[in-house]
Amino acid sequence: MMNRRRFCQGTALACLASTYPPLLHAVNADTSIPAVSLDGKDIELEAAAVRELGGAFDGPLLLSGHPQYESARRIWNGMHDKHPALIARCTGSEDIRHAVTFARERNLLVAVRGGGHSWPGKSVCEGGMMIDLAPMNQVSVDRERRTANASGGALLAHLDAASLQHGLVTTAGVVSHTGVGGFTLGGGFGRLNRKYGLAIDNLVAAEIITADGAVRRISSEQEPDLFWAIRGGGGNFGVVSGFEFQLHPFERKVLSGPIVWPVEQAREVLDFYIDWYLDLSDELYVGPTMASTPDGTPIILMEVVYAGKPVEGERELEPLRKIGKPLEDGVKVQDYTMMQTWEDATFHHGIRSYAKNGMVREMTPALVKDLIDAYVPDTRLAFFTHTAGGAVKRVGELDTAFPHRKAETMLIVAGVWTDPAEDEEAISLARNWFGQLAAHTGGYYDNIEFEGDDRAAGNYGPAFQRLARIKGRYDPDNLFRLNSNITPLT
Protein backbone atom coordinates (compact mmCIF):
# COMPACT_ATOMS: atom_id res chain seq x y z
CA MET A 1 0.00 0.00 0.00
CA MET A 2 2.73 2.48 0.91
CA ASN A 3 4.74 1.80 -2.26
CA ARG A 4 1.59 2.49 -4.29
CA ARG A 5 0.98 5.67 -2.29
CA ARG A 6 4.48 6.97 -3.01
CA PHE A 7 4.09 6.07 -6.69
CA CYS A 8 0.75 7.88 -6.96
CA GLN A 9 2.07 10.88 -5.10
CA GLY A 10 5.17 11.17 -7.25
CA THR A 11 3.25 10.68 -10.47
CA ALA A 12 0.45 13.09 -9.68
CA LEU A 13 2.79 15.80 -8.47
CA ALA A 14 5.05 15.47 -11.47
CA CYS A 15 2.34 16.76 -13.78
CA LEU A 16 2.75 20.47 -13.07
CA ALA A 17 6.10 21.81 -12.02
CA SER A 18 6.56 25.53 -12.35
CA THR A 19 3.69 27.42 -10.75
CA TYR A 20 4.92 27.29 -7.15
CA PRO A 21 8.66 26.45 -7.35
CA PRO A 22 9.60 27.78 -3.89
CA LEU A 23 6.90 25.69 -2.26
CA LEU A 24 6.44 22.36 -4.00
CA HIS A 25 7.98 20.43 -6.80
CA ALA A 26 4.56 20.08 -8.42
CA VAL A 27 0.93 20.44 -7.36
CA ASN A 28 -2.14 20.42 -9.57
CA ALA A 29 -5.27 22.08 -8.22
CA ASP A 30 -7.25 18.93 -8.97
CA THR A 31 -4.73 16.59 -7.34
CA SER A 32 -4.87 15.30 -3.79
CA ILE A 33 -1.82 14.02 -1.95
CA PRO A 34 -1.87 10.59 -0.28
CA ALA A 35 -0.91 10.70 3.41
CA VAL A 36 -1.31 8.88 6.72
CA SER A 37 -3.36 9.94 9.75
CA LEU A 38 -2.41 9.74 13.40
CA ASP A 39 -4.13 6.38 13.72
CA GLY A 40 -2.39 4.96 10.63
CA LYS A 41 -5.27 5.30 8.17
CA ASP A 42 -4.84 6.44 4.58
CA ILE A 43 -6.05 9.99 4.02
CA GLU A 44 -5.85 12.57 1.24
CA LEU A 45 -4.47 16.10 1.59
CA GLU A 46 -6.11 18.69 -0.64
CA ALA A 47 -3.53 20.19 -2.97
CA ALA A 48 -5.07 23.65 -2.57
CA ALA A 49 -4.58 23.46 1.22
CA VAL A 50 -0.98 22.35 0.76
CA ARG A 51 -0.38 25.28 -1.60
CA GLU A 52 -1.90 27.61 0.98
CA LEU A 53 0.39 26.20 3.66
CA GLY A 54 3.40 26.66 1.39
CA GLY A 55 2.37 30.24 0.71
CA ALA A 56 2.34 30.97 4.45
CA PHE A 57 5.82 29.49 4.91
CA ASP A 58 9.13 31.37 4.92
CA GLY A 59 11.00 28.09 4.47
CA PRO A 60 10.40 25.53 1.71
CA LEU A 61 7.67 22.91 1.84
CA LEU A 62 8.95 19.75 0.19
CA LEU A 63 7.08 16.92 -1.49
CA SER A 64 8.36 13.83 -3.21
CA GLY A 65 10.03 14.93 -6.44
CA HIS A 66 11.45 18.16 -5.03
CA PRO A 67 15.25 18.31 -5.55
CA GLN A 68 15.81 18.61 -1.76
CA TYR A 69 13.31 15.96 -0.71
CA GLU A 70 15.60 12.92 -0.72
CA SER A 71 18.33 14.55 1.36
CA ALA A 72 15.85 16.18 3.73
CA ARG A 73 13.98 12.97 4.57
CA ARG A 74 17.14 11.08 5.56
CA ILE A 75 18.14 11.06 9.21
CA TRP A 76 21.33 10.00 10.97
CA ASN A 77 20.44 6.31 11.47
CA GLY A 78 20.32 4.76 8.01
CA MET A 79 18.08 1.93 9.24
CA HIS A 80 15.10 4.28 9.01
CA ASP A 81 14.22 4.81 5.36
CA LYS A 82 10.86 6.58 5.46
CA HIS A 83 8.99 8.88 3.10
CA PRO A 84 6.93 11.72 4.60
CA ALA A 85 4.08 13.09 2.50
CA LEU A 86 5.30 16.59 3.38
CA ILE A 87 8.55 17.97 4.78
CA ALA A 88 8.07 21.41 6.34
CA ARG A 89 11.53 22.99 6.54
CA CYS A 90 10.94 25.63 9.18
CA THR A 91 12.93 28.84 9.52
CA GLY A 92 11.23 30.09 12.67
CA SER A 93 8.42 29.67 15.15
CA GLU A 94 5.79 31.01 12.72
CA ASP A 95 6.62 28.27 10.21
CA ILE A 96 6.34 25.70 12.99
CA ARG A 97 3.01 27.16 14.08
CA HIS A 98 1.60 26.89 10.55
CA ALA A 99 2.83 23.30 10.19
CA VAL A 100 1.43 22.20 13.55
CA THR A 101 -1.95 23.80 12.84
CA PHE A 102 -2.13 22.18 9.39
CA ALA A 103 -1.35 18.74 10.84
CA ARG A 104 -3.77 19.07 13.77
CA GLU A 105 -6.66 20.18 11.57
CA ARG A 106 -6.17 17.14 9.32
CA ASN A 107 -5.27 14.58 11.98
CA LEU A 108 -2.00 14.09 10.10
CA LEU A 109 0.83 11.97 11.49
CA VAL A 110 3.70 14.21 12.65
CA ALA A 111 7.42 13.66 13.19
CA VAL A 112 9.70 16.41 14.50
CA ARG A 113 13.29 16.54 13.27
CA GLY A 114 15.79 18.61 15.22
CA GLY A 115 19.22 17.16 14.53
CA GLY A 116 17.72 13.97 13.06
CA HIS A 117 19.63 11.89 15.59
CA SER A 118 16.75 9.86 17.00
CA TRP A 119 18.24 6.40 17.47
CA PRO A 120 14.88 4.64 17.01
CA GLY A 121 14.09 6.86 14.01
CA LYS A 122 11.22 8.91 15.40
CA SER A 123 12.33 12.13 13.71
CA VAL A 124 10.94 10.85 10.39
CA CYS A 125 7.65 9.17 9.50
CA GLU A 126 6.05 7.28 6.64
CA GLY A 127 3.28 9.22 4.94
CA GLY A 128 2.94 12.00 7.50
CA MET A 129 4.50 15.42 7.94
CA MET A 130 8.11 15.87 9.00
CA ILE A 131 8.49 19.21 10.79
CA ASP A 132 12.15 19.83 10.00
CA LEU A 133 14.02 22.36 12.15
CA ALA A 134 17.39 21.91 10.41
CA PRO A 135 17.46 25.49 9.03
CA MET A 136 17.03 26.78 12.60
CA ASN A 137 20.58 26.08 13.79
CA GLN A 138 21.63 29.41 15.29
CA VAL A 139 23.23 29.77 18.73
CA SER A 140 23.89 33.13 20.38
CA VAL A 141 25.66 33.78 23.68
CA ASP A 142 25.05 36.54 26.23
CA ARG A 143 28.42 36.73 27.92
CA GLU A 144 27.24 39.04 30.68
CA ARG A 145 24.29 36.85 31.68
CA ARG A 146 26.24 33.65 30.91
CA THR A 147 23.44 32.22 28.83
CA ALA A 148 23.17 30.64 25.39
CA ASN A 149 20.11 30.72 23.16
CA ALA A 150 19.96 27.76 20.79
CA SER A 151 17.37 27.42 18.04
CA GLY A 152 15.48 24.13 17.80
CA GLY A 153 17.58 22.72 14.96
CA ALA A 154 21.00 23.57 16.42
CA LEU A 155 23.52 20.79 16.94
CA LEU A 156 25.63 20.19 20.03
CA ALA A 157 28.68 21.26 18.02
CA HIS A 158 27.05 24.64 17.46
CA LEU A 159 26.30 25.00 21.19
CA ASP A 160 29.83 24.04 22.25
CA ALA A 161 31.52 26.27 19.66
CA ALA A 162 29.46 29.36 20.47
CA SER A 163 29.91 28.94 24.23
CA LEU A 164 33.59 27.99 24.33
CA GLN A 165 34.72 31.03 22.37
CA HIS A 166 33.56 33.09 25.37
CA GLY A 167 35.24 30.83 27.95
CA LEU A 168 31.88 29.32 28.89
CA VAL A 169 30.24 25.90 28.62
CA THR A 170 27.18 23.85 29.49
CA THR A 171 26.54 20.11 29.49
CA ALA A 172 26.39 18.75 25.93
CA GLY A 173 26.33 15.17 24.68
CA VAL A 174 29.04 12.86 23.41
CA VAL A 175 28.47 12.99 19.62
CA SER A 176 28.73 16.55 18.32
CA HIS A 177 26.32 16.19 15.38
CA THR A 178 23.45 15.30 17.73
CA GLY A 179 20.62 17.84 17.84
CA VAL A 180 20.29 20.07 20.89
CA GLY A 181 16.51 19.57 20.96
CA GLY A 182 16.02 15.83 21.33
CA PHE A 183 19.14 15.58 23.48
CA THR A 184 17.84 18.15 25.95
CA LEU A 185 14.20 17.09 26.11
CA GLY A 186 15.18 13.55 27.08
CA GLY A 187 17.43 14.75 29.92
CA GLY A 188 20.82 15.39 28.38
CA PHE A 189 23.74 13.26 29.57
CA GLY A 190 27.24 14.55 28.80
CA ARG A 191 30.84 14.50 29.94
CA LEU A 192 30.25 17.48 32.25
CA ASN A 193 27.04 16.30 33.91
CA ARG A 194 28.71 15.32 37.18
CA LYS A 195 29.97 18.90 37.49
CA TYR A 196 27.08 20.93 36.04
CA GLY A 197 24.13 18.53 35.95
CA LEU A 198 22.13 17.29 32.99
CA ALA A 199 21.25 19.60 30.10
CA ILE A 200 17.76 20.05 31.59
CA ASP A 201 19.32 21.23 34.86
CA ASN A 202 20.89 24.08 32.89
CA LEU A 203 17.75 24.97 30.94
CA VAL A 204 16.57 28.45 31.96
CA ALA A 205 13.66 28.87 29.54
CA ALA A 206 12.30 27.63 26.23
CA GLU A 207 9.97 28.60 23.41
CA ILE A 208 7.51 25.86 22.44
CA ILE A 209 4.72 25.56 19.90
CA THR A 210 1.99 23.37 21.38
CA ALA A 211 -0.65 21.34 19.55
CA ASP A 212 -3.11 24.26 19.54
CA GLY A 213 -0.63 26.30 17.48
CA ALA A 214 0.21 28.67 20.34
CA VAL A 215 3.78 29.96 20.62
CA ARG A 216 4.65 29.88 24.32
CA ARG A 217 7.62 31.21 26.25
CA ILE A 218 8.01 28.92 29.26
CA SER A 219 10.20 28.91 32.35
CA SER A 220 9.94 28.24 36.07
CA GLU A 221 7.82 31.43 36.26
CA GLN A 222 5.87 31.17 32.99
CA GLU A 223 3.72 28.05 32.59
CA PRO A 224 5.87 26.16 35.11
CA ASP A 225 4.01 22.85 34.70
CA LEU A 226 4.85 22.71 31.00
CA PHE A 227 8.44 23.78 31.69
CA TRP A 228 8.70 20.99 34.27
CA ALA A 229 7.35 18.46 31.77
CA ILE A 230 9.71 19.23 28.88
CA ARG A 231 12.69 18.69 31.18
CA GLY A 232 12.82 14.93 30.78
CA GLY A 233 9.41 14.27 29.21
CA GLY A 234 10.77 14.22 25.67
CA GLY A 235 8.92 15.59 22.66
CA ASN A 236 5.47 14.79 24.03
CA PHE A 237 4.34 18.38 24.58
CA GLY A 238 5.11 20.33 21.42
CA VAL A 239 7.85 21.54 19.11
CA VAL A 240 10.55 23.44 20.98
CA SER A 241 11.80 26.22 18.74
CA GLY A 242 14.38 27.64 21.15
CA PHE A 243 16.31 26.77 24.30
CA GLU A 244 18.00 29.11 26.77
CA PHE A 245 20.83 27.49 28.74
CA GLN A 246 22.82 28.59 31.76
CA LEU A 247 26.55 28.65 30.98
CA HIS A 248 29.52 28.20 33.30
CA PRO A 249 33.10 29.56 33.23
CA PHE A 250 35.34 26.90 31.70
CA GLU A 251 38.95 26.43 30.70
CA ARG A 252 38.74 24.55 27.40
CA LYS A 253 42.15 22.89 27.83
CA VAL A 254 41.19 19.91 29.99
CA LEU A 255 42.74 16.65 31.13
CA SER A 256 40.97 14.12 28.96
CA GLY A 257 41.27 11.04 26.77
CA PRO A 258 40.98 7.24 26.89
CA ILE A 259 42.89 4.61 28.86
CA VAL A 260 42.83 1.23 27.08
CA TRP A 261 43.55 -2.26 28.40
CA PRO A 262 43.30 -5.70 26.76
CA VAL A 263 39.96 -7.31 27.55
CA GLU A 264 41.73 -10.01 29.58
CA GLN A 265 42.27 -7.34 32.25
CA ALA A 266 38.59 -6.37 32.35
CA ARG A 267 37.91 -8.00 35.72
CA GLU A 268 40.85 -6.27 37.38
CA VAL A 269 39.86 -2.91 35.91
CA LEU A 270 36.14 -3.19 36.71
CA ASP A 271 36.64 -4.64 40.21
CA PHE A 272 38.76 -1.60 40.99
CA TYR A 273 36.37 0.84 39.32
CA ILE A 274 33.19 -0.14 41.19
CA ASP A 275 34.75 0.83 44.53
CA TRP A 276 36.84 3.76 43.29
CA TYR A 277 34.20 5.72 41.34
CA LEU A 278 31.95 6.22 44.39
CA ASP A 279 34.37 8.72 45.92
CA LEU A 280 35.26 10.66 42.79
CA SER A 281 34.95 14.43 42.72
CA ASP A 282 32.26 16.10 40.64
CA GLU A 283 34.99 17.25 38.25
CA LEU A 284 35.97 13.73 37.18
CA TYR A 285 33.89 11.95 34.56
CA VAL A 286 35.15 8.43 33.90
CA GLY A 287 33.23 5.43 32.61
CA PRO A 288 33.96 1.98 31.15
CA THR A 289 33.49 0.67 27.61
CA MET A 290 34.05 -2.83 26.28
CA ALA A 291 34.50 -3.08 22.53
CA SER A 292 36.71 -4.39 19.75
CA THR A 293 39.14 -2.22 17.79
CA PRO A 294 38.74 -2.07 13.99
CA ASP A 295 41.36 -4.83 13.66
CA GLY A 296 39.35 -7.06 16.01
CA THR A 297 41.36 -6.62 19.22
CA PRO A 298 39.04 -7.00 22.26
CA ILE A 299 39.53 -4.13 24.72
CA ILE A 300 38.20 -2.41 27.79
CA LEU A 301 38.70 1.32 28.04
CA MET A 302 37.90 4.19 30.35
CA GLU A 303 36.87 7.53 28.88
CA VAL A 304 38.14 10.39 31.05
CA VAL A 305 37.29 14.10 31.24
CA TYR A 306 38.38 16.21 34.22
CA ALA A 307 36.52 19.54 34.46
CA GLY A 308 39.00 21.29 36.70
CA LYS A 309 42.67 22.07 37.11
CA PRO A 310 44.70 19.40 35.27
CA VAL A 311 47.20 18.97 38.11
CA GLU A 312 44.37 18.05 40.48
CA GLY A 313 42.92 15.70 37.89
CA GLU A 314 46.28 13.94 37.54
CA ARG A 315 46.30 13.25 41.28
CA GLU A 316 42.74 11.93 41.31
CA LEU A 317 43.30 9.76 38.25
CA GLU A 318 46.59 8.24 39.45
CA PRO A 319 45.08 5.14 41.15
CA LEU A 320 43.29 4.11 37.94
CA ARG A 321 46.46 4.48 35.90
CA LYS A 322 48.20 1.98 38.17
CA ILE A 323 45.70 -0.80 37.42
CA GLY A 324 46.87 -3.55 35.08
CA LYS A 325 49.05 -2.88 32.04
CA PRO A 326 47.33 -0.46 29.66
CA LEU A 327 47.75 -0.82 25.93
CA GLU A 328 47.40 2.94 25.68
CA ASP A 329 47.08 5.90 28.00
CA GLY A 330 45.77 8.78 25.91
CA VAL A 331 44.81 11.04 28.82
CA LYS A 332 46.49 14.41 28.43
CA VAL A 333 45.73 18.12 28.54
CA GLN A 334 43.95 18.93 25.29
CA ASP A 335 41.10 20.97 23.90
CA TYR A 336 37.73 19.90 25.27
CA THR A 337 36.34 19.51 21.75
CA MET A 338 38.80 16.69 21.06
CA MET A 339 36.74 14.41 23.29
CA GLN A 340 33.46 16.01 22.23
CA THR A 341 34.12 14.91 18.64
CA TRP A 342 35.95 11.67 19.46
CA GLU A 343 32.99 9.41 18.62
CA ASP A 344 31.70 11.40 15.64
CA ALA A 345 33.36 9.21 13.02
CA THR A 346 32.13 5.96 14.56
CA PHE A 347 28.56 7.26 14.69
CA HIS A 348 28.70 9.01 11.32
CA HIS A 349 25.63 9.93 9.29
CA GLY A 350 24.16 7.07 7.29
CA ILE A 351 25.37 4.22 9.50
CA ARG A 352 22.91 1.55 10.52
CA SER A 353 22.61 1.32 14.28
CA TYR A 354 20.60 -0.34 17.02
CA ALA A 355 20.86 0.21 20.77
CA LYS A 356 19.43 -1.00 24.06
CA ASN A 357 19.94 0.81 27.34
CA GLY A 358 19.02 0.78 31.01
CA MET A 359 19.68 2.81 34.14
CA VAL A 360 21.83 1.34 36.92
CA ARG A 361 21.68 2.50 40.54
CA GLU A 362 24.83 0.72 41.64
CA MET A 363 27.80 -0.95 40.00
CA THR A 364 28.10 -4.29 41.83
CA PRO A 365 30.36 -7.38 41.64
CA ALA A 366 27.43 -9.29 40.13
CA LEU A 367 27.11 -6.70 37.38
CA VAL A 368 30.86 -6.85 36.73
CA LYS A 369 30.62 -10.63 36.29
CA ASP A 370 27.75 -10.30 33.84
CA LEU A 371 29.46 -7.51 31.90
CA ILE A 372 32.44 -9.79 31.34
CA ASP A 373 30.40 -12.91 30.62
CA ALA A 374 28.11 -11.10 28.17
CA TYR A 375 30.88 -9.43 26.18
CA VAL A 376 30.76 -10.13 22.43
CA PRO A 377 34.06 -9.77 20.52
CA ASP A 378 32.56 -8.24 17.39
CA THR A 379 33.83 -5.05 15.71
CA ARG A 380 30.23 -3.89 15.17
CA LEU A 381 29.22 -4.00 18.84
CA ALA A 382 30.16 -2.29 22.08
CA PHE A 383 28.98 -1.83 25.63
CA PHE A 384 29.47 1.68 27.00
CA THR A 385 28.22 3.93 29.78
CA HIS A 386 27.10 7.46 30.56
CA THR A 387 28.30 8.16 34.10
CA ALA A 388 25.93 10.14 36.33
CA GLY A 389 26.10 10.83 40.07
CA GLY A 390 27.55 14.11 41.30
CA ALA A 391 25.38 17.10 40.42
CA VAL A 392 22.88 14.87 38.59
CA LYS A 393 22.05 13.01 41.77
CA ARG A 394 21.61 16.12 43.91
CA VAL A 395 18.52 17.27 42.01
CA GLY A 396 15.28 16.01 43.54
CA GLU A 397 13.62 13.07 41.81
CA LEU A 398 10.48 15.10 41.06
CA ASP A 399 12.09 18.52 40.57
CA THR A 400 12.09 17.78 36.84
CA ALA A 401 10.34 15.12 34.79
CA PHE A 402 13.58 13.15 34.37
CA PRO A 403 12.93 10.00 36.43
CA HIS A 404 16.39 8.52 37.04
CA ARG A 405 18.18 10.86 39.45
CA LYS A 406 19.33 8.01 41.70
CA ALA A 407 21.07 6.10 38.90
CA GLU A 408 24.85 6.03 39.03
CA THR A 409 25.23 5.24 35.35
CA MET A 410 23.47 4.27 32.16
CA LEU A 411 24.42 1.04 30.38
CA ILE A 412 24.15 0.94 26.59
CA VAL A 413 24.78 -1.91 24.18
CA ALA A 414 24.95 -0.57 20.64
CA GLY A 415 25.76 -1.91 17.22
CA VAL A 416 27.06 0.06 14.22
CA TRP A 417 27.32 -1.35 10.69
CA THR A 418 26.72 -0.33 7.07
CA ASP A 419 25.38 -3.37 5.21
CA PRO A 420 21.57 -3.87 5.39
CA ALA A 421 22.16 -7.60 5.07
CA GLU A 422 23.68 -7.53 8.57
CA ASP A 423 20.64 -5.95 10.23
CA GLU A 424 19.05 -9.10 11.62
CA GLU A 425 22.28 -10.60 12.95
CA ALA A 426 23.62 -7.37 14.50
CA ILE A 427 20.31 -6.50 16.16
CA SER A 428 20.00 -10.01 17.57
CA LEU A 429 23.53 -9.89 18.99
CA ALA A 430 22.89 -6.50 20.62
CA ARG A 431 19.59 -7.66 22.13
CA ASN A 432 21.13 -10.85 23.49
CA TRP A 433 24.07 -8.96 24.96
CA PHE A 434 21.86 -6.42 26.70
CA GLY A 435 19.47 -9.16 27.76
CA GLN A 436 22.20 -10.58 29.99
CA LEU A 437 22.56 -7.19 31.71
CA ALA A 438 18.92 -6.13 31.87
CA ALA A 439 18.31 -7.55 35.36
CA HIS A 440 20.76 -4.95 36.74
CA THR A 441 18.83 -2.04 35.25
CA GLY A 442 15.63 -0.18 36.08
CA GLY A 443 14.04 2.08 33.48
CA TYR A 444 15.58 3.46 30.31
CA TYR A 445 16.78 6.66 28.67
CA ASP A 446 14.16 7.47 26.06
CA ASN A 447 16.56 9.26 23.69
CA ILE A 448 18.08 5.85 22.91
CA GLU A 449 15.57 3.12 23.60
CA PHE A 450 13.97 1.36 20.61
CA GLU A 451 11.26 -0.61 22.41
CA GLY A 452 10.24 1.83 25.12
CA ASP A 453 6.91 3.02 23.74
CA ASP A 454 4.60 0.78 25.77
CA ARG A 455 6.68 1.10 28.94
CA ALA A 456 6.56 4.86 29.47
CA ALA A 457 4.33 4.65 32.55
CA GLY A 458 6.76 2.39 34.37
CA ASN A 459 9.77 4.33 33.20
CA TYR A 460 8.54 7.68 34.51
CA GLY A 461 7.46 6.22 37.84
CA PRO A 462 5.96 8.77 40.25
CA ALA A 463 6.26 11.53 37.62
CA PHE A 464 3.98 9.76 35.14
CA GLN A 465 0.57 10.89 36.40
CA ARG A 466 1.60 14.53 36.41
CA LEU A 467 3.10 14.14 32.92
CA ALA A 468 -0.12 12.51 31.67
CA ARG A 469 -2.23 15.38 33.03
CA ILE A 470 0.02 17.99 31.41
CA LYS A 471 -0.04 16.02 28.17
CA GLY A 472 -3.83 16.03 28.35
CA ARG A 473 -3.89 19.79 28.84
CA TYR A 474 -1.51 20.71 26.01
CA ASP A 475 -1.87 17.79 23.57
CA PRO A 476 -5.20 16.05 24.30
CA ASP A 477 -5.33 14.34 20.88
CA ASN A 478 -1.73 13.08 21.13
CA LEU A 479 -0.55 14.86 18.00
CA PHE A 480 3.03 14.51 19.25
CA ARG A 481 3.18 10.75 19.60
CA LEU A 482 6.39 9.75 17.83
CA ASN A 483 8.41 9.61 21.03
CA SER A 484 8.45 7.57 24.22
CA ASN A 485 4.79 8.37 24.30
CA ILE A 486 2.76 9.51 27.27
CA THR A 487 -0.96 8.85 26.88
CA PRO A 488 -2.91 12.10 27.51
CA LEU A 489 -5.00 12.10 30.67
CA THR A 490 -8.01 14.31 29.97
Side-chain angles (χ1 to χ4, degrees):
M1 178 65 73
M2 194 55 64
N3 288 337
R4 179 179 180 277
R5 179 185 298 114
R6 288 202 296 271
F7 173 79
C8 293
Q9 178 178 317
T11 302
L13 298 181
C15 66
L16 187 65
S18 60
T19 307
Y20 300 94
L23 314 179
L24 314 172
H25 183 254
V27 172
N28 186 297
D30 298 323
T31 301
S32 60
I33 300 165
V36 173
S37 69
L38 287 171
D39 55 5
K41 294 179 180 178
D42 291 342
I43 58 175
E44 302 285 336
L45 302 176
E46 328 86 86
V50 175
R51 280 201 305 276
E52 184 179 353
L53 174 64
F57 250 59
D58 287 330
L61 184 65
L62 312 180
L63 278 72
S64 176
H66 189 286
Q68 297 175 21
Y69 176 86
E70 283 299 312
S71 60
R73 74 177 181 85
R74 298 192 182 278
I75 62 172
W76 160 76
N77 189 346
M79 283 182 61
H80 307 294
D81 184 24
K82 296 179 180 178
H83 300 77
L86 299 172
I87 300 177
R89 303 210 82 181
C90 302
T91 61
S93 56
E94 279 300 294
D95 281 356
I96 299 171
R97 185 178 67 81
H98 288 307
V100 168
T101 300
F102 180 91
R104 185 195 71 248
E105 290 176 347
R106 289 157 183 81
N107 201 37
L108 180 62
L109 182 65
V110 169
V112 181
R113 182 193 191 278
H117 226 279
S118 168
W119 221 314
K122 293 179 178 177
S123 44
V124 66
C125 59
E126 190 69 47
M129 173 188 279
M130 174 195 274
I131 298 177
D132 183 5
L133 309 185
M136 300 171 56
N137 58 18
Q138 304 80 18
V139 179
S140 62
V141 171
D142 185 326
R143 190 172 181 177
E144 297 303 313
R145 294 181 60 235
R146 294 180 180 172
T147 58
N149 284 282
S151 296
L155 305 182
L156 297 179
H158 300 143
L159 179 59
D160 274 340
S163 303
L164 287 168
Q165 68 176 327
H166 296 286
L168 300 167
V169 80
T170 196
T171 301
V174 299
V175 175
S176 75
H177 48 74
T178 303
V180 169
F183 163 77
T184 301
L185 297 175
F189 282 89
R191 297 179 175 99
L192 300 179
N193 57 218
R194 288 177 54 81
K195 175 71 172 176
Y196 301 122
L198 301 173
I200 57 172
D201 301 329
N202 295 279
L203 191 62
V204 176
E207 182 183 84
I208 185 172
I209 294 82
T210 45
D212 59 359
V215 180
R216 305 170 188 271
R217 172 78 175 181
I218 62 173
S219 66
S220 57
E221 288 79 35
Q222 297 172 275
E223 302 197 64
D225 276 356
L226 183 55
F227 186 61
W228 174 86
I230 70 164
R231 288 177 291 158
N236 273 282
F237 305 96
V239 183
V240 180
S241 53
F243 299 84
E244 183 178 353
F245 294 100
Q246 187 68 58
L247 302 178
H248 310 274
F250 189 73
E251 171 52 61
R252 64 185 298 163
K253 294 288 188 179
V254 295
L255 186 70
S256 61
I259 305 176
V260 183
W261 296 264
V263 79
E264 291 78 12
Q265 296 179 36
R267 183 170 297 280
E268 183 179 2
V269 172
L270 290 173
D271 280 347
F272 169 79
Y273 176 80
I274 63 172
D275 291 326
W276 176 70
Y277 87 97
L278 293 170
D279 296 320
L280 296 181
S281 68
D282 290 357
E283 285 75 17
L284 185 56
Y285 175 96
V286 55
T289 292
M290 294 178 71
S292 298
T293 63
D295 67 4
T297 303
I299 60 168
I300 179 169
L301 68 84
M302 292 285 178
E303 183 180 306
V304 175
V305 174
Y306 187 81
K309 295 180 179 178
V311 64
E312 296 174 4
E314 293 278 8
R315 283 197 294 268
E316 191 166 4
L317 195 61
E318 184 179 4
L320 179 63
R321 285 175 145 162
K322 291 180 178 179
I323 300 301
K325 296 180 179 179
L327 296 171
E328 175 191 353
D329 185 340
V331 178
K332 58 186 177 183
V333 178
Q334 58 186 332
D335 193 280
Y336 172 64
T337 59
M338 292 295 292
M339 287 304 293
Q340 286 295 86
T341 59
W342 188 52
E343 297 177 15
D344 285 8
T346 299
F347 293 101
H348 62 83
H349 280 271
I351 55 120
R352 306 179 75 79
S353 187
Y354 177 87
K356 293 287 293 178
N357 82 98
M359 309 305 298
V360 174
R361 289 208 172 195
E362 184 182 5
M363 297 283 283
T364 64
L367 175 55
V368 167
K369 179 182 183 301
D370 286 345
L371 288 173
I372 294 168
D373 290 347
Y375 171 72
V376 177
D378 188 311
T379 57
R380 297 169 296 185
L381 301 177
F383 141 74
F384 55 101
T385 56
H386 282 312
T387 305
V392 177
K393 207 170 183 178
R394 288 193 290 274
V395 176
E397 281 192 280
L398 294 177
D399 288 355
T400 66
F402 182 75
H404 302 300
R405 292 292 178 177
K406 299 300 183 183
E408 292 286 352
T409 194
M410 183 205 321
L411 303 182
I412 306 123
V413 175
V416 173
W417 62 96
T418 57
D419 185 352
E422 298 179 24
D423 287 358
E424 185 176 347
E425 178 189 31
I427 290 171
S428 178
L429 286 171
R431 283 176 173 163
N432 290 339
W433 186 343
F434 184 79
Q436 298 176 67
L437 309 176
H440 301 280
T441 68
Y444 58 87
Y445 185 46
D446 64 21
N447 283 0
I448 295 175
E449 181 61 25
F450 268 68
E451 287 93 22
D453 292 3
D454 60 352
R455 298 187 288 132
N459 187 53
Y460 284 107
F464 183 76
Q465 286 298 312
R466 183 180 178 188
L467 284 167
R469 287 194 297 271
I470 297 169
K471 175 77 169 178
R473 190 187 319 162
Y474 290 97
D475 186 15
D477 297 319
N478 204 10
L479 180 67
F480 302 109
R481 64 180 60 191
L482 291 185
N483 41 53
S484 184
N485 196 237
I486 296 165
T487 302
L489 182 62
T490 58

